[in-house]
Amino acid sequence: MARHFLTLNDVTNEELKNILNWADEIKKNPGKYSGELKDKTLLMIFAKPSLRTRVSFEVGITQLGGHGIYYDISTSPMGKKETIGDTAKTSSRYVDIVMARLFEHSDIEEYAENSDVPVINALTNFSHPCQIVADLQTIKEKKGELMGLKLAYLGDSNNNVTHSLICGCTKVGMNISVGCPKGEVFMPQKKVVDEGKKIAEETGGSVTITHNAEEAVKDADVVYTDSWMSYHIKAEEKEERMKTLMPYQVNRELMDRAKPDAIFMNCLPAMRGMEQTAEVIDGPQSVVFDEAENRLHAQKAVMLFLLGKFK
Ligand code: CP
Ligand code: NVA
């Protein structure tokens, strides 16, 4: 049976650490892996826009000797003229591995259940595991270690990136502190928080939810924020969301509450003046473009892992 990567819980803590080590190794010696996926085809299904995911996956499979097919869902019968299962079963006969960026998480689960080849979640409304592998790689590069570090996440937290950060941070023994408005619209889903706390009991990490931004960032090693207008949020909600989320904007004053050597992260795309100020994202503590680059290396490691090239 094919191994899938729909959330970070699809890999053990040990496997996640290995993937991070391989991502480092691939970054340092890309040429060594240039023929590893020779003649393999990656199907890249997109129901939402993308820069980083779309480009880094295609470059990644090409650099590994394979080929990527970009497949815009608006040109597909999937979910309209045929079931998701029929698309998955059919594409399994053509390609070796699939990545999909879909709206509903249940849709990628249905796809994976029917796929004979590995399926990678390239973002659903619920989770974004590839992003967090790249994020952990970046934090490790900048800080030298992961265990025991504090990551503060600010802003919209009923969010794919927040959910995957809670899972990823706790799996590697980090402490994650989420600062967000009250209420289920903006708070991370309870099942994710409960699961994260359970993982943290084993790894020594922790999960804290607060509605006080200053408390969230206090002594943090990493300050992280994500878009207030995720791809699936309707444009007409913007004004109201900006009002509610503004107390969680990452600005200079908030950054000063974190450790002096704290790094600033955003998975991108980012809007200056919304989830962070220009001064922060364009300032010396920001590592957002290293973070974006690591999507390439991290996803190469994920593809090699799922195709059994790394054990
Ligand atoms: N971070 C990220 O997934 O970016 P894209 O939406 O551009 O792929
Ligand atoms: N939360 C954001 C992440 C973008 C990479 C979104 O879903 O749009």
Side-chain angles (χ1 to χ4, degrees), residues 115-243:
S115 176
D116 297 327
V117 300
V119 177
I120 299 172
N121 176 2
L123 183 147
T124 60
N125 294 358
F126 175 70
S127 67
H128 196 5
C130 294
Q131 180 64 53
I132 276 54
V133 179
D135 294 341
L136 294 174
Q137 183 186 4
T138 310
I139 298 167
K140 206 170 134 207
E141 276 173 1
K142 303 293 173 190
K143 298 287 169 192
E145 42 139 21
L146 293 172
M147 177 91 72
L149 292 180
K150 174 176 175 178
L151 182 145
Y153 176 93
L154 276 301
D156 176 19
S157 304
N158 185 350
N159 170 296
N160 40 26
V161 169
T162 324
H163 292 153
S164 295
L165 275 172
I166 290 173
C167 185
C169 287
T170 51
K171 277 175 97 74
V172 298
M174 285 174 65
N175 305 296
I176 176 163
S177 176
V178 176
C180 63
K182 285 188 185 148
E184 66 177 27
V185 174
F186 293 108
M187 287 177 69
Q189 292 175 21
K190 187 177 176 311
K191 66 171 179 187
V192 178
V193 175
D194 290 347
E195 221 169 61
K197 285 185 174 166
K198 215 157 129 197
I199 299 169
E201 275 172 25
E202 284 168 33
T203 61
S206 65
V207 184
T208 315
I209 313 292
T210 167
H211 305 298
N212 181 321
E214 292 176 359
E215 187 187 312
V217 295
K218 188 172 182 293
D219 296 329
D221 300 282
V222 181
V223 180
Y224 198 122
T225 188
D226 181 19
S227 173
W228 292 350
M229 290 300 293
S230 282
Y231 291 125
H232 61 283
I233 309 282
K234 294 189 182 71
E236 55 265 32
E237 292 177 36
K238 184 172 173 184
E239 209 176 312
E240 194 60 37
R241 289 173 72 88
M242 278 194 68
K243 261 193 248 153

Side-chain angles (χ1 to χ4, degrees), residues 57-93:
F57 262 108
E58 186 164 340
V59 171
I61 188 76
T62 306
Q63 289 182 352
L64 293 170
H67 172 65
I69 299 174
Y70 173 68
Y71 191 35
D72 176 349
I73 201 89
S74 67
T75 65
S76 164
M78 183 171 100
K80 298 188 286 263
K81 282 183 75 75
E82 69 180 18
T83 63
I84 292 174
D86 284 353
T87 300
K89 284 178 189 153
T90 307
S91 54
S92 297
R93 304 289 178 103

